[in-house]
Amino acid sequence: MTSTDHHADPDGTGLDTDAAAEPLRRDLARRLAEQGLLADPGWRRALETVPRHRFVPGFYLPTGQREEHGLTVWEPVTEQIDRRRWLTSAYTDTTLITQFDGQEPDWDDPAPRAGGGPTSSSTLPSLVLRMWQDADLHQGHNVLEIGTGTGYSTALACERLGERGEVTSIEVDDHRLHQAADALFGCGYGVGLAVADGLYGYWPHAPYDRIVAACSVRAIPDAWLAQTRPGAKILTTLSGWLYGYARVLLTTSGDGTAEGPLLPGTISFMAARAQERPAAGNPADWDALTADAPGRPARHNPDRMDEATDEGFFARFLAQLAAPNTQQLTDPDGDTVHLVDVTTGSAATLTPDGAPDGASGGTSGGGGWRVRQAGPLRLWDAVEGAWEAWDQAGRPGPETFRMRIDHGRQTILQPDLPGLSFTLA
């Protein structure tokens, strides 16, 4: 389904860009097949066919250095700057950052940058393939993709479904969508595209057999349920202001209800832009709010939320379920952790108290912690309660949890453990 667009040969390989990309695509497919991700020959064929380099005219890679304020230094990579590096990077299993802070770079004259929040990217191919395969796409399906991004994921779905499938992809960023449209149509993919807010789905092409979101949401939008056929599947990542993540695969019933499992793995996606966490202000102000509150020894170390393990990843998601409007602030010295809820004015301040290791029930760090709490909600109490129920049950993985939606009420629960049931905000 792709067309051929020959480019010059600036690095002297003797091959035009599209020809040079072909063995790189085959090698990427071979490596992902060795990981067990391409058992379906249709998806392998799609990966070997879609030219990812067409969808990433430029991207940023980290230099491994930090500037004077500790911010990561990023350098631009384009065909004009370094064709070999650009092409090789396009066919590695890596997420390529294409935009920071909602500002589109000038890829004709890009500059290095420090810091910033990524707001668009070309997701690593292995994750894209895993998502499409988890969503169980079949020829003839009517599919809605939330978050077009560069369009690479969209192209893989079009290639896999062929002429007998219908793919609609929507993107809130008009500049991003226009670039993706140029690449998609230039490669011959007849996809439906629209600038639209994914939280509202896309009514004109509904009902859908599959809705797949390339962004994360705090709860399932009502519009997604309303725009699906009975038996349709919705695949998305759940997240929140604590940056905890879990993927869920729901099957809809067509009557305002849906149910399905959380999926294993440690996968994160950028939040839907309208659901980015609000600015919380100065940590010192929240510290002052709790200054006169009585303290107690914390039973768990707040470092538990930052453990670089599968359990640590899910522990943070559970903390978010227990305190759904909470976000974490850390003082510049790193010694004080604040949990704050800007919707209710609740706060918890955690400080080291020098107790012997293990006295607080923590999993890492040099000693115990004390917590002071203020406001209508006891945020740290809620987090500790969720962790203790989880610990007592043997820390069951996310795949043992289910999500249920019943006419607006959204619940995540461990069916065998009543103490691990949470209502999404």
Side-chain angles (χ1 to χ4, degrees):
M1 292 181 66
T2 59
S3 60
T4 301
D5 179 17
H6 294 283
H7 295 276
D9 179 31
D11 60 2
T13 62
L15 297 173
D16 63 65
T17 300
D18 284 345
E22 290 179 7
L24 297 176
R25 276 201 303 279
R26 290 195 298 270
D27 186 59
L28 175 61
R30 176 189 58 78
R31 285 181 275 122
L32 296 189
E34 290 173 352
Q35 298 176 29
L37 290 171
L38 292 172
D40 182 333
W43 284 113
R44 180 161 188 161
R45 184 170 56 252
L47 187 69
E48 291 177 338
T49 301
V50 175
R52 190 186 188 200
H53 66 279
R54 299 274 202 96
F55 296 87
V56 284
F59 46 85
Y60 278 93
L61 294 177
T63 63
Q65 301 175 341
R66 295 184 179 273
E67 49 92 77
E68 58 180 334
H69 300 294
L71 300 176
T72 298
V73 177
W74 301 82
E75 60 182 343
V77 180
T78 68
E79 183 175 15
Q80 291 70 34
I81 293 172
D82 186 337
R83 180 207 190 204
R84 187 185 300 274
R85 187 184 186 200
W86 167 73
L87 200 56
T88 300
S89 298
Y91 293 101
T92 57
D93 190 31
T94 304
T95 293
L96 304 173
I97 305 301
T98 56
Q99 187 191 81
F100 290 88
D101 301 326
Q103 300 174 355
E104 192 66 28
D106 177 4
W107 292 118
D108 292 328
D109 186 24
R113 61 167 298 131
T119 48
S120 189
S121 66
S122 177
T123 303
L124 66 162
S126 62
L127 176 52
V128 172
L129 287 165
R130 191 189 311 180
M131 288 190 62
W132 284 130
Q133 291 180 91
D134 286 343
D136 193 27
L137 268 62
H138 294 285
Q139 290 184 338
H141 274 166
N142 184 21
V143 179
L144 175 63
E145 179 187 40
I146 308 290
T148 311
T150 65
Y152 175 65
S153 172
T154 318
L156 287 173
C158 290
E159 187 68 43
R160 177 63 182 87
L161 292 177
E163 299 298 332
R164 286 181 287 175
E166 182 175 345
V167 178
T168 299
S169 186
I170 60 176
E171 170 63 50
V172 71
D173 185 322
D174 59 344
H175 192 92
R176 283 278 88 209
L177 188 79
H178 293 154
Q179 283 200 346
D182 288 344
L184 286 161
F185 298 148
C187 289
Y189 295 111
V191 58
L193 299 173
V195 176
D197 188 332
L199 295 179
Y200 300 96
Y202 196 61
W203 289 97
H205 292 174
Y208 301 102
D209 300 289
R210 298 290 187 269
I211 294 180
V212 177
C215 61
S216 62
V217 293
R218 300 187 68 208
I220 305 299
D222 292 339
W224 294 6
L225 293 175
Q227 292 173 31
T228 54
R229 292 189 174 96
K233 295 183 185 296
I234 296 173
L235 177 67
T236 190
T237 302
L238 299 169
S239 68
W241 298 341
L242 269 180
Y243 299 135
Y245 299 91
R247 287 193 309 149
V248 64
L249 179 63
L250 296 169
T251 300
T252 65
S253 300
D255 60 355
T257 64
E259 183 172 349
L262 301 191
L263 302 181
T266 56
I267 294 169
S268 60
F269 272 99
M270 298 172 194
R273 293 194 185 183
Q275 292 188 349
E276 286 283 3
R277 74 180 195 175
N282 189 338
D285 292 336
W286 292 95
D287 191 27
L289 193 65
T290 62
D292 296 329
R296 67 164 175 85
R299 298 190 301 275
H300 294 262
N301 189 322
D303 290 345
R304 185 171 184 179
M305 289 192 289
D306 299 316
E307 285 183 353
T309 64
D310 288 0
E311 284 190 346
F313 191 88
F314 193 54
R316 191 174 193 93
F317 182 70
L318 289 174
Q320 181 175 273
L321 291 177
N325 292 319
T326 300
Q327 51 188 295
Q328 181 179 343
L329 308 177
T330 303
D331 283 348
D333 59 15
D335 288 337
T336 303
V337 175
H338 305 278
L339 296 186
V340 305
D341 179 348
V342 299
T343 68
T344 65
S346 303
T349 300
L350 291 117
T351 53
D353 69 359
D357 280 348
S360 67
T363 58
S364 62
W369 290 70
R370 290 189 67 80
V371 59
R372 305 188 315 272
Q373 302 179 86
L377 303 178
R378 292 296 180 258
L379 302 179
W380 194 244
D381 289 358
V383 171
E384 289 187 324
W387 283 349
E388 286 160 4
W390 185 50
D391 289 344
Q392 188 174 7
R395 300 186 182 181
E399 66 278 4
T400 70
F401 285 71
R402 297 187 68 78
M403 182 174 187
R404 293 174 181 165
I405 302 178
D406 186 4
H407 299 91
R409 181 179 176 85
Q410 302 192 20
T411 306
I412 292 178
L413 70 158
Q414 216 292 344
D416 300 323
L417 301 169
L420 287 172
S421 178
F422 309 91
T423 299
L424 296 187

